[in-house]
């Protein structure tokens, strides 16, 4: 195994690398430091380490790539948790203002960086959502006027540098749902209502180049292809949990796959979890925005609702899920489910929990220093067996309950 190269070396050499900037698409640019190009990759299960970018290199990248930093003091506030990528919350001290501008510098895992059709489509999707009034992290143009950059960076385990997508996104201020502990019923209703409206907006992209670009991506986390996580089942240490995950995936194959064409499909967020839903601290009853959209895939919209339910259930893993019912009912008031979609909701919830467990343990085997990889799979291991024991009718009765019995604060 090769010893990791230090990021400081990259920072020292970045000046020479930047002399060979080359624009590769209308919305992307690339630093070319080697004639060797990677062949097309499928997104992988974090079997490779995250990008080798430290705080020093993050500042250097910002100053070289983005005009918004010209003459401003750049401060890296913190590194944000990430499964595959490297994310830094950064701030610029504005000379002509008492305030400061905040952004997220995102360096994509190499497995997410080689599909420019997807990256172009994803950036355009963020712009469309912003124009529609939704708060999503919109891209900041580079000095070349592009929405992202491809840069070859040294790799911890390989001798040759690999391509990494780099972008600067506007920071969405606020706190996460996870930090609130137990969401109130009004907040849950706001989440459901807002998610339904986002789906209405994204459904309007049907048949466009944006949708085609998203469809071009092969993502192992795609809920529309949950069977990809079967290779991670053997990594689950608990035998009973391993059997439960295998059973869920068996039902997915038999009950979801044949009926998927009859469900409304389009671009979905793909990762509406408790850390990606942002709340304004001054109004904890309303959703402020959504972040981390890089698990965007083409899938049934009801699957995105199932993903959201699955992750929120992890906040209270020992509590019956009827406390989430205000979210489900609010979603359906805005965007009613068809009979097929409603019948499938149970398995969409279980399938995301199964993905969390199988892929979480597999990724952790490859990178045991990244505890974030287990942030969802451990509580998911508590929730999945309990929800799997319920019939579809029993779970729907809880999720669509008019009066949650757990005393959620109003």
């Amino acid at each position: 195994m090769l010893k990791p190269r230090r990021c400081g070396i990259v920072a020292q050499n970045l000046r020479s690398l930047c002399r060979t900037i080359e624009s590769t698409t209308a919305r992307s640019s690339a630093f070319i430091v080697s004639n060797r190009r990677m062949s097309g990759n499928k997104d992988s299960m974090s079997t490779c380490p995250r990008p080798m970018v430290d705080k020093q290199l993050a500042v250097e990248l910002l100053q070289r790539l983005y005009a918004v930093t010209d003459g401003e003091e750049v401060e890296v506030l913190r590194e944000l948790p990430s499964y595959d990528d490297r994310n830094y919350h950064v701030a610029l001290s504005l000379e002509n203002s008492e305030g400061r501008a905040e952004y997220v510098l995102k360096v994509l895992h190499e497995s997410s960086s080689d599909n420019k059709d997807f990256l172009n489509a994803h950036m355009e999707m963020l712009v469309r959502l912003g124009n529609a009034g939704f708060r999503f992290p919109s891209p900041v143009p580079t000095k070349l006027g592009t929405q992202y950059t491809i840069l070859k960076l040294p790799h911890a385990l390989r001798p040759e540098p690999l391509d990494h997508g780099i972008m600067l996104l506007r920071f969405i201020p606020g706190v996460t749902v996870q930090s609130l502990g137990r969401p109130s019923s009004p907040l849950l209703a706001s989440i459901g209502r807002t998610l339904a409206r986002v789906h209405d907006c994204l459904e309007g992209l049907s048949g466009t180049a944006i949708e085609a670009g998203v469809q071009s991506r092969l993502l192992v986390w795609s809920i529309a292809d949950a069977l990809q996580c079967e290779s991670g089942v053997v990594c689950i240490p608990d035998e009973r949990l391993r059997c439960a995950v295998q059973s869920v995936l068996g039902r997915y194959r038999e009950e979801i796959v044949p009926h998927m064409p009859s469900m409304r499909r389009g671009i979905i967020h793909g990762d509406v979890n408790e850390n990606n839903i942002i709340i304004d601290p001054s109004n904890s009853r309303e959703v402020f925005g959504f972040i981390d959209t890089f698990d965007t895939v083409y899938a049934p919209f009801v699957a995105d609702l199932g993903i959201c339910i699955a992750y929120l259930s992890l906040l209270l893993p020992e509590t019956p899920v009827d406390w989430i019912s205000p979210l489900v009912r609010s979603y359906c008031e805005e965007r009613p489910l068809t009979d097929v979609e409603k019948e499938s909701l149970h398995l969409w919830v279980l399938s995301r929990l199964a993905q969390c467990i199988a892929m979480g343990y597999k990724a952790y085997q490859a990178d045991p220093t990244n505890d974030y990889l287990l942030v969802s799979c451990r509580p998911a291991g508590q929730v999945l067996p309990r929800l799997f024991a319920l019939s579809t009718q029993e779970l729907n009765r809880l999720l669509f309950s008019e009066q949650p019995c757990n005393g959620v604060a109003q």
Side-chain angles (χ1 to χ4, degrees):
M1 182 178 295
L2 297 173
K3 293 181 68 174
R5 303 181 187 180
R6 295 185 61 183
C7 292
I9 296 174
V10 185
Q12 294 167 11
N13 294 333
L14 188 60
R15 184 183 302 275
S16 62
L17 304 187
C18 290
R19 293 174 185 154
T20 53
I21 295 177
E22 173 181 294
S23 178
T24 57
T25 70
R27 290 185 177 84
S28 68
S29 60
F31 289 91
I32 308 299
V33 298
S34 167
N35 291 327
R36 179 169 181 174
R37 303 289 298 180
M38 289 179 60
S39 59
N41 286 340
K42 297 182 181 181
D43 284 47
S44 63
M45 231 184 260
S46 281
T47 54
C48 295
R50 291 183 297 156
M52 293 176 62
V53 177
D54 61 10
K55 289 184 178 182
Q56 178 188 353
L57 179 55
V59 172
E60 187 84 8
L61 290 170
L62 283 167
Q63 293 172 334
R64 296 286 179 183
L65 296 174
Y66 292 96
V68 293
T69 65
D70 291 349
E72 310 293 353
E73 181 181 347
V74 179
E75 179 185 2
V76 177
L77 301 179
R78 57 182 171 139
E79 182 175 357
L80 301 172
S82 177
Y83 202 94
D84 289 311
D85 309 325
R86 190 75 70 175
N87 300 320
Y88 286 105
H89 180 193
V90 300
L92 306 181
S93 300
L94 305 179
E95 289 184 354
N96 300 323
S97 171
E98 295 181 358
R100 62 182 182 178
E102 297 183 26
Y103 303 92
V104 173
L105 178 69
K106 188 174 190 70
V107 183
L108 295 175
H109 191 267
E110 68 263 20
S111 63
S112 301
S113 301
D114 66 338
N115 186 336
K116 296 180 179 63
D117 288 338
F118 168 77
L119 291 175
N120 293 336
H122 183 268
M123 292 298 154
E124 189 62 31
M125 179 199 73
L126 290 176
V127 172
R128 294 283 189 97
L129 286 168
N131 291 341
F134 298 105
R135 294 186 184 92
F136 281 79
S138 57
V140 178
T142 68
K143 290 180 179 180
L144 297 180
T146 61
Q147 292 179 333
Y148 66 92
T149 294
I150 302 296
L151 168 65
K152 285 188 177 293
L153 295 174
H155 194 273
L157 303 179
R158 300 185 187 181
E160 74 276 9
L162 299 181
D163 288 345
H164 292 274
I166 300 173
M167 58 205 64
L168 187 65
L169 304 171
R170 291 179 175 86
F171 182 72
I172 305 296
V175 299
T176 65
V177 167
Q178 194 276 337
S179 69
L180 299 179
R182 186 173 186 144
S184 67
S185 290
L187 175 56
L188 290 168
S190 176
I191 294 171
R193 182 168 54 249
T194 305
L195 183 61
R197 292 172 181 173
V198 168
H199 287 168
D200 284 341
C201 179
L202 292 175
E203 193 169 19
L205 300 178
S206 177
T208 65
I210 298 175
E211 184 179 78
V214 171
Q215 285 183 278
S216 72
R217 185 192 194 193
L218 298 173
L219 179 70
V220 74
W221 272 101
S222 174
I223 191 69
D225 195 8
L227 296 177
Q228 289 188 84
C229 77
E230 285 182 313
S231 62
V233 173
V234 296
C235 302
I236 301 171
D238 183 85
E239 182 179 359
R240 287 186 296 180
L241 183 59
R242 189 164 59 247
C243 290
V245 169
Q246 287 175 323
S247 297
V248 168
L249 296 177
R251 289 187 58 187
Y252 180 99
R253 180 180 285 106
E254 296 173 2
E255 300 175 37
I256 290 290
V257 173
H259 297 289
M260 211 181 302
S262 63
M263 303 177 196
R264 291 169 294 175
R265 291 181 288 177
I267 300 171
I268 67 170
H269 182 288
D271 195 21
V272 189
N273 67 49
E274 69 280 15
N275 290 302
N276 291 339
I277 305 171
I278 303 301
I279 311 300
D280 184 344
S282 65
N283 182 11
S284 61
R285 297 163 65 93
E286 294 288 334
V287 171
F288 188 74
F290 295 98
I291 62 172
D292 200 3
T293 57
F294 276 84
D295 278 354
T296 296
V297 293
Y298 181 82
F301 291 105
V302 66
D304 219 16
L305 176 61
I307 289 170
C308 187
I309 294 168
Y311 282 124
L312 289 180
S313 72
L314 306 186
L315 292 174
L316 302 171
E318 298 179 358
T319 304
V321 293
D322 59 336
W323 68 273
I324 303 176
S325 64
L327 183 154
V328 181
R329 288 186 285 107
S330 178
Y331 180 97
C332 292
E333 288 170 4
E334 288 283 334
R335 187 180 171 87
L337 297 179
T338 66
D339 289 342
V340 172
E341 290 168 344
K342 185 175 181 179
E343 187 73 12
S344 71
L345 185 58
H346 183 197
L347 268 177
W348 288 121
V349 174
L350 291 173
S351 297
R352 175 41 59 105
L353 294 174
Q355 286 179 302
C356 287
I357 296 165
M359 293 197 285
Y361 280 113
K362 180 172 183 177
Y364 188 71
Q365 273 194 359
D367 185 9
T369 64
N370 187 0
D371 289 336
Y372 184 71
L373 300 175
L374 300 179
V375 70
S376 293
C377 75
R378 282 171 173 161
Q382 295 178 262
V383 174
L384 182 141
R386 181 163 47 79
L387 295 188
F388 184 67
L390 298 175
S391 67
T392 295
Q393 292 72 25
E394 288 171 330
L395 182 62
N396 281 350
R397 187 162 53 248
L398 292 173
L399 291 178
F400 292 88
S401 170
E402 291 289 339
Q403 295 183 334
C405 64
N406 292 293
V408 178
Q410 300 297 313

